[in-house]
């Protein structure tokens, strides 16, 4: 990249490697004289003064052209980053309460048929112009006169149509507008609705990306105010029966998507500059500026903290080399169907003793009583392997339950693999377990809760079932009931739990739904043999501000933790709901929904609350309920206990070894030399280990403790 824009008296004003690989940059208009350049590979930030760009704001990048706006003079023009030539547009109009959205162009700026279409975020009109016009044309979208909503910002031109993200009556939709008519001031429009795929959270932001002749929509879901990313959804535009619709996909082939601000780009994957195939890279400000990488292959979300403190990221842009824009084994072991996913595996090394003093004995000659003594000292995987060593040892399978177990992180990779994955945080090993439950799944699966070796799973928005992944037992729960206008209710529970193992006679499932405002509570229940759910509704006098965690069953009552640290209690026998006056809330003011993970655990008859964020600078806070004083007591040390917390579930155990005690394991992985490393928070030094510089973790996961009683 060269030209007068970036050179001054033979000196390159841009960072050294800018233009050789994807970079992030942002112009600050009149707010700041420098331009910010972020190198995502080296995680470095450079501020440079570019005289021709001072006071300008970048509205979009189009090959060698950038569209600039002077905030003071409202001068608007295209600038070539190669030749420094300019193509002027009419002065930009000013509107009160005006939010600039995305900009689409019909053809390159230096062609005669170039038209510029600007989406006005939070408004109900578009702005259209071209280099040969004297002013911008305001084109109202009359559809909004009959529907409550507004444009959301992202837009793209595909097959001579403008696709624009919008919100109509609380629903995410895509507007499809004929471009030829639009540039003449007319509107011919159709609407494509989006079905909700993540029922508990709404889409926090969306993007539109063209790739290999197809159009994709990407939705990033988050709790509350976008502080915690929970899900990334990719859909491809398809045409059937002359109607357009979005179809969910889990593969974008040998491409990578780059998203920032309101714009999205697709490029062929290239490991040389750090882009992995079938991955989506996007920037968001969630407890600090982060560059996220979502891998569709294994449904994992990773992030890197960016050294960026220059405010909003809505005008951050990706910059690519011009030439880049122009070209646009697993080892099975013998128990169940478990597969080792790591590159290395335990191997047997045969060493021939040169002396004759070693007497060779067959493994099946070892007395079975001695073999059974091994189980209490073995991990779960070794317990599963042991009966397969030889025929004689197969008789020990009934002793598997004696093996040492601790929580594993269960997660779901791409549905096409028809399997679950399990990560052992202590041994830093990952395993794959094939499952018929995944084999028959046709929609998005989400892991909600685990207890007694069973996991509550939802498929799409309607189906709820329980699975024991090690015995392959499945219990289907009835559909959620019909509501007007005769549509199945979505899964909307903030938390879900059950009383005992599903094989027990007193097994009951309870689902808890709370309005965000805290003024309404609905508790659903189901018992085996019942054909439908039962519902109890409460309008408590004391509001309860819910968090997204599962309730804890203690002494026959379900305890729910609120965002302020308050406790709500449901008594299943009396069918009552109460918000306790004591303990008093931990937070004096109500935190925004989604700003913090709130966990409630039971440990030896005591209630423990844990509060954490995705910000590594914020320490984790742990409290124990003092039952005599009815007050939260802050804990500085966990003793010989280890906690495991994810987005919804939490487990406390006595640590099997001292070195794992006094830790809180989270559902993230850090960089290891040859394998994943489970990330934990150490209560001793109040830090995360290993380093949280580069982090990844599955988007749908749950900590679960296997139950080795095979008859359960």
């Amino acid at each position: 990249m060269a030209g007068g824009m970036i050179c001054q008296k033979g000196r390159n004003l841009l960072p050294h490697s800018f233009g050789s690989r994807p970079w992030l940059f942002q112009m600050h208009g009149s707010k700041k004289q420098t331009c910010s350049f972020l190198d995502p590979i080296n995680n470095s930030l450079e501020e440079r003064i570019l005289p021709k760009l001072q006071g300008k704001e970048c509205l979009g990048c189009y090959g060698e052209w950038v569209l600039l706006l002077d905030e003071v003079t409202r001068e608007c023009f295209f600038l070539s980053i190669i030749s420094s030539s300019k193509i002027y547009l009419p002065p930009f109009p000013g509107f009160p309460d005006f939010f600039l959205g995305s900009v689409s162009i019909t053809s390159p700026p230096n062609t005669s048929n170039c038209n510029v279409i600007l989406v006005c975020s939070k408004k109900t009109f578009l702005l259209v112009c071209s280099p040969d016009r004297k002013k911008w044309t305001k084109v109202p979208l009359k559809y909004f006169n009959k529907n409550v909503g507004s444009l959301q910002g992202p837009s793209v031109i595909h097959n001579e149509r403008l696709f624009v993200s919008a919100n109509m009556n609380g629903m995410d939709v895509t507007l499809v507008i004929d471009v030829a008519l639009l540039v003449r001031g007319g509107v011919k429009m159709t609407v494509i609705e989006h079905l909700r795929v993540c029922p508990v959270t709404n889409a926090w932001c969306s993007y539109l990306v063209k790739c290999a002749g197809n159009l994709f929509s990407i939705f990033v879901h988050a709790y509350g105010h976008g502080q915690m990313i929970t899900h990334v959804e990719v859909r491809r535009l398809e045409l059937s029966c002359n109607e357009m619709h979005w179809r969910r996909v889990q593969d974008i082939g040998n491409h990578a998507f780059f998203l920032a601000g309101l714009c999205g780009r697709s490029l062929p994957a290239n490991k040389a500059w750090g882009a992995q195939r079938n991955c989506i890279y996007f920037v968001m400000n969630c407890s600090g500026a982060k560059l996220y990488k979502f891998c569709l292959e294994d449904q994992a979300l990773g992030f890197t903290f960016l050294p960026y403190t220059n405010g909003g990221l809505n005008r951050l842009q990706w910059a690519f080399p011009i030439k880049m824009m122009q070209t646009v084994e697993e080892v099975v072991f013998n128990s169940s169907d478990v597969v080792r996913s790591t590159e290395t595996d335990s191997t047997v090394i045969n060493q021939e003793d040169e002396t004759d003093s070693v007497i060779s004995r067959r493994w099946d000659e070892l007395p079975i009583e001695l073999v059974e003594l091994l189980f209490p000292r073995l991990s779960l995987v070794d317990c599963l392997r042991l009966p397969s060593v030889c025929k004689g040892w197969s008789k020990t399978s009934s002793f598997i339950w004696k093996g040492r177990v601790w929580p594993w992180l269960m997660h779901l990779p791409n549905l096409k693999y028809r399997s679950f994955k399990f990560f052992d945080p202590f041994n830093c090993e990952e395993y794959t377990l094939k499952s018929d439950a995944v084999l028959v799944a046709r929609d998005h699966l989400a892991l909600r809760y685990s207890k007694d070796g069973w996991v509550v799973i939802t498929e799409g928005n309607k189906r709820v079932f329980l699975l024991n992944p090690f015995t392959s037992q499945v219990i289907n729960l009835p559909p959620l009931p019909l509501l007007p206008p005769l549509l199945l209710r979505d899964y909307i529970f903030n938390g879900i739990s059950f009383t005992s193992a599903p094989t027990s006679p007193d097994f009951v499932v309870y689902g808890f739904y709370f309005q965000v405002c805290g003024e309404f509570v609905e508790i659903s229940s189901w018992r085996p043999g019942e054909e439908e759910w039962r519902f109890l509704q409460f309008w408590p006098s004391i509001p309860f501000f819910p968090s997204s965690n599962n309730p804890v069953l203690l002494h026959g009552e379900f305890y729910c933790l609120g965002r302020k640290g308050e406790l709500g209690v449901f008594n299943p026998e009396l069918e009552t709901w109460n918000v306790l006056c004591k303990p008093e809330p931990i937070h004096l003011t109500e935190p925004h929904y989604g700003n913090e993970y709130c966990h409630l655990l039971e440990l030896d008859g005591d209630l423990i609350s844990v509060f954490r964020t995705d910000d590594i600078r914020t320490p984790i806070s742990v409290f124990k309920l003092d039952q005599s004083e009815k007050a939260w007591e802050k804990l500085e040390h966990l003793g010989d206990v280890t906690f495991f917390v994810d987005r919804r579930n939490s487990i406390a155990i006595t640590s099997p070894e001292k070195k794992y005690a006094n830790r809180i394991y989270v559902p993230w992985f850090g960089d290891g030399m040859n394998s994943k490393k489970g990330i934990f928070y150490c209560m001793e030094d109040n830090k995360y280990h290993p380093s949280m510089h580069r982090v990844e973790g599955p988007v749908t996961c749950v900590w679960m403790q296997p139950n080795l009683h095979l008859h359960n």
Side-chain angles (χ1 to χ4, degrees), residues 2 7 26 47 76 82 130 255 267 282 315 339 373 377 379 406 414 448 453 480 529 542 554 566 589 616 628 639 649:
C7 294
Q26 182 165 4
E47 299 285 344
C76 192
I82 294 179
S130 62
H255 288 82
L267 290 175
F282 61 97
R315 282 296 166 190
V339 180
L373 295 177
R377 300 177 178 272
S379 66
W406 45 80
N414 198 306
R448 304 289 180 181
L480 294 169
I542 302 176
L554 181 64
E566 69 273 36
T589 59
I616 61 173
S628 60
N649 209 43

Side-chain angles (χ1 to χ4, degrees), residues 11-54:
R11 182 170 60 90
N12 191 350
L13 301 179
L14 293 176
H16 173 67
S17 59
F18 187 83
S20 62
R21 59 176 182 262
W23 276 64
L24 287 159
F25 77 97
Q26 182 165 4
M27 302 177 191
H28 303 284
S30 58
K31 299 177 182 178
K32 194 173 182 180
Q33 294 300 309
T34 60
C35 293
S36 302
F37 294 88
L38 277 165
D39 183 352
I41 292 182
N42 296 326
N43 198 36
S44 61
L45 171 67
E46 296 188 39
E47 299 285 344
R48 296 296 180 96
I49 295 178
L50 305 178
K52 291 191 177 183
L53 301 183
Q54 286 184 324

Side-chain angles (χ1 to χ4, degrees), residues 356-392:
D356 295 330
S357 59
V358 177
I359 301 176
S360 177
R361 299 285 299 273
R362 290 166 53 90
W363 284 111
D364 58 2
E365 294 179 11
L366 187 67
I368 199 69
E369 294 79 12
L370 294 180
V371 178
E372 292 170 358
L373 295 177
L374 295 175
F375 280 97
R377 300 177 178 272
L378 297 179
S379 66
L380 169 62
V381 172
D382 290 330
C383 283
L384 295 173
R385 286 171 168 163
L386 197 64
S388 302
V389 171
C390 60
K391 183 177 180 180

Side-chain angles (χ1 to χ4, degrees), residues 204-440:
W204 177 250
C205 61
S206 62
Y207 301 87
L208 294 168
V209 178
K210 292 194 296 184
C211 176
N214 293 303
L215 182 62
F216 293 84
S217 65
I218 299 94
F219 287 88
V220 178
H221 292 257
Y223 280 128
H225 292 258
Q227 296 298 308
M228 301 170 186
I229 306 299
T230 60
H231 182 66
V232 179
E233 171 199 354
V234 183
R235 295 179 181 180
R236 184 177 61 223
L237 183 69
E238 295 193 350
L239 182 66
S240 62
C241 300
N242 295 322
E243 290 188 358
M244 291 178 288
H245 65 276
W246 294 106
R247 179 177 176 271
R248 186 169 180 264
V249 296
Q250 298 190 60
D251 200 313
I252 58 175
N254 193 35
H255 288 82
F257 291 174
F258 295 84
L259 317 174
L262 298 172
C263 301
R265 303 278 184 180
S266 169
L267 290 175
N270 188 331
K271 291 185 178 180
W273 38 264
Q276 184 179 335
R277 70 175 301 277
N278 205 23
C279 288
I280 299 172
Y281 298 83
F282 61 97
V283 180
M284 289 190 69
N285 193 352
C286 299
S287 301
K290 297 175 185 175
L291 172 62
Y292 288 89
K293 183 188 80 171
F294 176 67
C295 180
L296 281 81
E297 192 78 10
D298 56 11
Q299 296 290 295
L301 182 70
F303 63 84
T304 301
F305 286 93
L306 296 175
Y308 192 75
T309 57
N310 292 324
L313 304 175
N314 60 316
R315 282 296 166 190
L316 201 63
Q317 303 274 352
W318 282 101
F320 305 100
I322 299 299
K323 62 179 180 180
M324 186 186 299
M325 296 300 296
Q326 293 172 342
T327 59
V328 172
E329 159 183 345
E330 297 182 335
V331 179
V332 181
F333 60 78
N334 278 331
S335 180
S336 304
D337 289 316
V338 185
V339 180
R340 182 87 172 263
S341 300
T342 52
E343 294 293 334
T344 59
D345 199 355
S346 55
T347 57
V348 178
I349 302 177
N350 296 320
Q351 294 181 336
E352 296 183 1
D353 199 324
E354 295 181 357
T355 67
D356 295 330
S357 59
V358 177
I359 301 176
S360 177
R361 299 285 299 273
R362 290 166 53 90
W363 284 111
D364 58 2
E365 294 179 11
L366 187 67
I368 199 69
E369 294 79 12
L370 294 180
V371 178
E372 292 170 358
L373 295 177
L374 295 175
F375 280 97
R377 300 177 178 272
L378 297 179
S379 66
L380 169 62
V381 172
D382 290 330
C383 283
L384 295 173
R385 286 171 168 163
L386 197 64
S388 302
V389 171
C390 60
K391 183 177 180 180
W393 289 17
S394 62
K395 299 176 183 179
T396 65
S397 59
S398 60
F399 289 86
I400 287 179
W401 64 272
K402 291 185 177 181
R404 295 195 308 165
V405 296
W406 45 80
W408 283 11
L409 188 66
M410 176 180 177
H411 59 104
L412 180 69
N414 198 306
L415 274 179
K416 67 182 181 182
Y417 296 116
R418 307 302 186 192
S419 59
F420 292 103
K421 285 194 174 184
F422 295 84
F423 178 73
D424 179 349
F426 293 167
N427 296 317
C428 298
E429 294 180 350
E430 191 170 70
Y431 304 92
T432 299
L433 179 65
K434 296 179 181 178
S435 172
D436 291 338
V438 184
L439 193 64
V440 300

Side-chain angles (χ1 to χ4, degrees), residues 25 27 53 56-62 64-70 75-81 87-90 92 101-105 109 116-118 129 136 315 317:
F25 77 97
M27 302 177 191
L53 301 183
K56 309 296 189 297
E57 185 173 349
C58 182
L59 303 184
C61 299
Y62 314 92
E64 69 171 274
W65 299 91
V66 291
L67 180 58
L68 303 178
L69 171 66
D70 190 304
E75 183 182 55
C76 192
F77 59 92
F78 288 100
L79 175 67
S80 170
I81 57 178
I87 298 177
Y88 285 91
L89 296 174
F92 197 80
S102 60
V103 180
S104 298
I105 61 175
V116 181
I117 305 171
L118 188 143
C129 80
W136 293 76
R315 282 296 166 190
Q317 303 274 352

